[in-house]
Amino acid sequence: SAVISQKPSRDICQRGTSLTIQCQVDSQVTMMFWYRQQPGQSLTLIATANQGSEATYESGFVIDKFPISRPNLTFSTLTVSNMSPEDSSIYLCSVAGGLHSYGYTFGSGTRLTVV
Amino acid sequence: GQQVMQIPQYQHVQEGEDFTTYCNSSTTLSNIQWYKQRPGGHPVFLIQLVKSGEVKKQKRLTFQFGEAKKNSSLHITATQTTDVGTYFCAGGGNYGGATNKLIFGTGTLLAVQP
């Protein structure tokens, strides 16, 4: 299965600022997925990022707040813009399994605290 | 929208006892996946079920997919302290034309007392 390097692993940010989270995959993948997980909660899909096209956002998430870049088949970034304390959460990127595995592989996550 | 619910939310067992978590989807699923997330960690894939009524085993873990492909269960026999974590089911389906999306269940946190 793919190996994902996600950074930063954690950050404490001031409200009103923005944070960009990066995910690097060790193999080429068509789709990358960005999830949010609030403490003690389940994972909520933010958006699906395809290379060369606009990301597809889920209900409740908008591009102005969570712009996503996907410049090539191994890399993606998620920006959390104009942050408020409600954005404090864990953000995870993920890729679908390859030929020999159906499961999704997740990055180690970014724990964001907005103060 | 699509919802995937799990019960119980939390289960505390003595080591050696069995454990079961149940997963129910509001829509028919094309497949169901199960993940385990250790405290402080990220979700790790356990298994995928695709066929109606399918049963799969991994050592002490038994996974079932319902006949209607709307529910699933994970049963752990003789729990060990290493089983501690949150177990998520995740439903795969044709959500608005996107066939690769996974909708995660609400999760069951398992605590095992030695």
Side-chain angles (χ1 to χ4, degrees), chain B residues 38-91:
Chain B
R38 293 181 185 275
H42 56 274
V44 174
F45 173 71
L46 294 176
I47 207 161
Q48 174 173 281
L49 304 169
V50 178
K51 299 176 185 175
S52 169
E54 189 171 14
V55 177
K56 286 189 177 181
K57 291 191 175 185
Q58 286 181 350
K59 297 183 180 178
R60 294 178 295 105
L61 278 60
T62 302
F63 304 84
Q64 286 190 302
F65 200 9
E67 294 290 341
K69 301 184 77 172
K70 294 180 73 172
N71 58 73
S72 181
S73 66
L74 159 60
H75 179 82
I76 301 179
T77 304
T79 54
Q80 300 174 359
T81 55
T82 53
D83 295 325
V84 164
T86 301
Y87 291 85
F88 291 100
C89 62

Side-chain angles (χ1 to χ4, degrees), chain A residues 4-5 10 59 69 74 81 96 106:
Chain A
I4 302 175
S5 174
R10 60 178 64 229
S59 175
S69 79
T74 63
S81 303
F106 284 83

Side-chain angles (χ1 to χ4, degrees), chain B residues 21-51:
Chain B
T21 173
Y22 300 91
C23 173
N24 289 285
S25 169
S26 59
T27 59
T28 301
L29 302 169
S30 60
N31 64 78
I32 192 94
Q33 298 184 7
W34 284 90
Y35 291 79
K36 177 183 179 181
Q37 185 175 27
R38 293 181 185 275
H42 56 274
V44 174
F45 173 71
L46 294 176
I47 207 161
Q48 174 173 281
L49 304 169
V50 178
K51 299 176 185 175

Side-chain angles (χ1 to χ4, degrees), chain A residues 39-109:
Chain A
Q41 303 295 314
S42 183
L43 287 80
T44 301
L45 182 62
I46 298 171
T48 301
N50 291 317
Q51 191 268 333
S53 64
E54 291 281 332
T56 303
Y57 289 83
E58 297 300 306
S59 175
F61 298 96
V62 295
I63 188 171
D64 289 346
K65 176 67 176 176
F66 297 101
I68 287 172
S69 79
R70 185 81 205 276
N72 57 54
L73 291 172
T74 63
F75 188 79
S76 179
T77 67
L78 170 77
T79 299
V80 186
S81 303
N82 189 24
M83 289 183 285
S84 66
E86 292 71 37
D87 295 319
S88 297
S89 192
I90 298 170
Y91 293 85
L92 299 122
C93 62
S94 174
V95 300
L99 287 175
H100 304 292
S101 171
Y102 298 107
Y104 280 36
T105 299
F106 284 83
S108 54

Side-chain angles (χ1 to χ4, degrees), chain A residues 8-51:
Chain A
S9 58
R10 60 178 64 229
D11 207 340
I12 300 174
C13 300
Q14 296 289 325
R15 68 176 67 204
T17 62
S18 298
L19 175 72
T20 295
I21 302 166
Q22 300 180 3
C23 276
Q24 178 75 51
V25 189
D26 68 343
S27 57
Q28 294 185 336
V29 293
T30 306
M31 292 185 182
M32 292 183 71
F33 305 90
W34 287 96
Y35 285 87
R36 182 173 73 183
Q37 185 176 31
Q38 293 174 317
Q41 303 295 314
S42 183
L43 287 80
T44 301
L45 182 62
I46 298 171
T48 301
N50 291 317
Q51 191 268 333

